[in-house]
Amino acid sequence: MNARSSWLEETWRVVLLILVALAIGAVFDQILLFVLIALAAYTLRNLYNLRRLAAWLGDPQAATIPVHFGLWGDIFSRIARISSRQAQREKRLTTLVHEYTASTSALPDATVALDPQGRILWFNEAASRLLGLVAAKDVGQPLQNLFRNPDIPAFLAAADFSQTLQTRAPGNPELHLEVRLAPYGEGQMLLLAQDITERLRQERVRKDFVANVSHELRTPLTVVGGFIENLQNDDSLTDPRLVRPLELMSQQTSRMSRIVEDLLQLARLESQSATTMRAAVDIGELLQLVADECQGLRDDPPQIRVDVQSGRRVLGDDKQLHSAVTNLLANAVHHTTADGCVDLSWCDDGADSLLAVCDSGEGIAAEHLPRLTERFYRVDSGRSRERGGTGLGLAIVKHILKRHRADLEVSSRVGEGSRFTCRFGPDQLIA
Ligand code: ADP
């Protein structure tokens, strides 16, 4: 029976009751008394059913419904249906939660769920292993209070979901972790920590290999280069057929030596500690020095102009900054014709300062821009090799800037020129 028809039936039942009470009351000439008796009986019946409802709500099952007909029967069976649906949903959710918990427990990465105040709600097996958390005592504790190393608490406080943190595992300095945060729900966060010890070891092996190979090649190349030079200067070798091969051999050994030197510079940049980064470098002076040095790069260099608007100095390594600016300026000079110009500038942009190398040369097509700082990436390999380029210049610039916590921004248009901007933040600047 639907709700509307049971309401109608109940209304008719009340009307009938009052009509019967009116009829009996008319016979005995006591209409009011009999109507009151009828209403009292109706109220008592409803109170009784309400009591039964309250008792039954403790465990509302279809099998134990106390009333099966009329409006009350309808109310009881509807509640039984809702309750049964609710129970099924709860069962489904419980199964889901169990499956989710079991699968996240099996994850090799540490996963810690945190409430909006940073307290631990839950964590998996790997979090015990990698972060040293203990279920019995740590759930409910603020996560940042549990680490002695300040890295993780500072990372949690910053709550920057786009960043990752590389740090050593609390309690096990042999393990290296990469930690990230992910938001979920209403203000909750997931802390995920991955064991990257093996990855870092492999990276170190690769870097050491490149550094060692470069180092080993250095001496043989110097010896070969020296012999070629001796042969070129040897007046007793008069055969004209030797001139061109010796010239090519000399060019190629010099090119290999430059590649080896650039690879060694990259290796040094990757392994050097931050202790060399303490000098206050006068960028105005540096730009003027590099501009003078680069005048001799070509017989017909473009005009090089220096514009220094800022008096701020950069806290860092003067040799590295010299190398970065030289690489940028050498590229600009090589890619700009004699009637063009190259501008070196140093100016402030709010709290940041910008070192820019801007040329009116050939420019770079947009599809190459994202890959320019990759090792050995060249827009035109043939031309780069021809002029002695190693394809490592911009990779070195990027590394040097990274060590100075500066960013490299590149904008360019084919046929109009390029602009390489190094943005230094306030932490690296001295007023
Ligand atoms: P390379 O030794 O070939 O110059 P770099 O890493 O310094 O290597 O530069 C990578 C590539 O970027 C170059 O091969 C060149 O094609 C392009 N490039 C760099 N600077 C400029 C510039 N100012 N104008 C045009 N192209 C440039």
Side-chain angles (χ1 to χ4, degrees):
M1 195 183 293
N2 65 30
R4 201 156 169 265
S5 57
S6 57
W7 262 111
L8 257 171
E9 191 192 299
E10 188 69 14
T11 314
W12 279 117
R13 193 171 292 134
V14 175
V15 170
L16 199 71
L17 185 72
I18 291 173
L19 285 177
V20 170
L22 283 174
I24 300 175
V27 171
F28 292 101
D29 201 15
Q30 288 286 351
I31 290 179
L32 190 63
L33 179 68
F34 278 92
V35 168
L36 279 176
I37 289 173
L39 288 177
Y42 183 73
T43 309
L44 278 175
R45 172 179 160 266
N46 282 344
L47 278 176
Y48 176 60
N49 279 342
L50 268 178
R51 217 190 108 223
R52 292 208 286 188
L53 175 66
W56 178 79
L57 278 178
D59 182 16
Q61 291 193 23
T64 55
I65 287 179
V67 184
H68 291 280
F69 57 87
L71 184 61
W72 280 103
D74 194 35
I75 289 171
F76 274 106
S77 54
R78 274 159 166 267
I79 292 176
R81 270 204 303 279
I82 291 171
S83 146
S84 138
R85 244 183 272 143
Q86 185 88 6
Q88 277 171 10
R89 203 173 304 144
E90 264 171 31
K91 206 169 145 198
R92 267 206 312 275
L93 281 177
T94 315
T95 319
L96 210 71
V97 168
H98 279 142
E99 275 171 13
Y100 172 77
T101 318
S103 57
T104 17
S105 288
L107 282 178
D109 298 346
T111 311
V112 187
L114 302 168
D115 70 11
Q117 283 72 44
R119 286 184 298 242
I120 302 176
L121 293 169
W122 171 90
F123 57 84
N124 68 353
E125 182 79 28
S128 312
R129 193 165 35 83
L130 299 176
L131 301 171
L133 300 182
V134 182
K137 73 180 175 57
D138 291 338
V139 170
Q141 298 290 322
L143 182 64
Q144 54 225 61
N145 293 356
L146 302 179
F147 301 117
R148 251 184 269 151
N149 173 344
D151 283 1
I152 298 182
F155 184 67
L156 281 168
D160 184 345
F161 303 118
S162 63
Q163 295 293 320
T164 57
L165 164 77
Q166 288 196 3
T167 183
R168 290 176 193 269
N172 186 356
E174 301 287 296
L175 280 185
H176 291 264
L177 301 179
E178 185 169 84
V179 184
R180 65 181 68 233
L181 288 172
Y184 80 97
E186 286 168 17
Q188 289 106 309
M189 282 191 293
L190 273 185
L191 176 132
L192 304 156
Q194 188 184 17
D195 181 358
I196 53 163
T197 316
E198 181 54 22
R199 196 178 90 198
L200 291 188
R201 195 189 67 79
Q202 283 177 5
E203 266 174 32
R204 209 170 37 249
V205 168
R206 183 186 58 77
K207 282 176 194 165
D208 288 353
F209 173 76
V210 175
N212 289 337
V213 168
S214 313
H215 197 72
E216 293 296 327
L217 284 175
R218 206 182 196 183
T219 317
L221 274 172
T222 315
V223 173
V224 172
F227 276 121
I228 294 171
E229 205 180 324
N230 285 346
L231 288 173
Q232 283 177 312
N233 295 333
D234 191 339
D235 295 335
S236 63
L237 296 174
T238 47
D239 188 342
R241 284 174 304 172
L242 286 177
V243 174
R244 182 68 184 143
L246 282 175
E247 197 182 298
L248 285 176
M249 279 159 75
S250 166
Q251 272 172 15
Q252 293 306 320
T253 24
S254 312
R255 203 169 81 79
M256 272 166 77
S257 295
R258 274 197 301 276
I259 293 179
V260 164
E261 289 307 322
D262 279 0
L263 283 173
L264 281 171
Q265 191 182 356
L266 273 171
R268 274 196 301 274
L269 285 170
E270 283 173 338
S271 62
Q272 251 170 16
S273 71
T275 48
T276 57
M277 310 283 294
R278 298 278 156 77
V281 184
D282 185 325
I283 300 295
E285 256 177 35
L286 176 70
L287 293 188
Q288 196 54 60
L289 174 71
V290 179
D292 295 343
E293 288 169 353
C294 286
Q295 293 287 354
L297 277 178
R298 262 174 43 186
D299 295 339
D300 54 346
Q303 189 192 359
I304 302 176
R305 297 183 297 210
V306 178
D307 177 22
V308 178
Q309 303 269 344
S310 167
R312 288 178 186 162
R313 284 166 302 161
V314 169
L315 190 63
D317 182 316
D318 52 354
K319 283 204 188 75
Q320 289 180 14
L321 289 171
H322 180 276
S323 165
V325 180
T326 305
N327 273 312
L328 291 174
L329 184 57
N331 278 343
V333 167
H334 282 300
H335 293 279
T336 308
T337 48
D339 55 351
C341 59
V342 177
D343 288 302
L344 286 173
S345 63
W346 176 237
C347 65
D348 296 339
D349 180 25
D352 294 349
S353 290
L354 308 178
L355 187 166
V357 180
C358 191
D359 65 64
S360 62
E362 67 203 46
I364 308 163
E367 73 258 28
H368 298 294
L369 296 183
R371 299 195 57 191
L372 278 189
T373 55
E374 284 176 22
R375 289 171 194 206
F376 297 112
Y377 187 84
R378 294 148 164 134
V379 175
D380 181 339
S381 335
R383 267 188 58 202
S384 161
R385 286 199 188 97
E386 225 169 75
R387 65 161 184 84
T390 61
L392 293 167
L394 290 180
I396 292 175
V397 171
K398 191 181 128 186
H399 258 80
I400 292 174
L401 293 183
K402 195 172 152 202
R403 286 178 62 81
H404 287 81
R405 287 191 236 154
D407 290 323
L408 178 66
E409 297 159 10
V410 187
S411 58
S412 186
R413 265 173 192 273
V414 176
E416 289 180 21
S418 313
R419 183 186 172 88
F420 289 77
T421 311
C422 315
R423 180 178 286 276
F424 292 86
D427 292 352
Q428 292 298 120
L429 296 168
I430 304 172

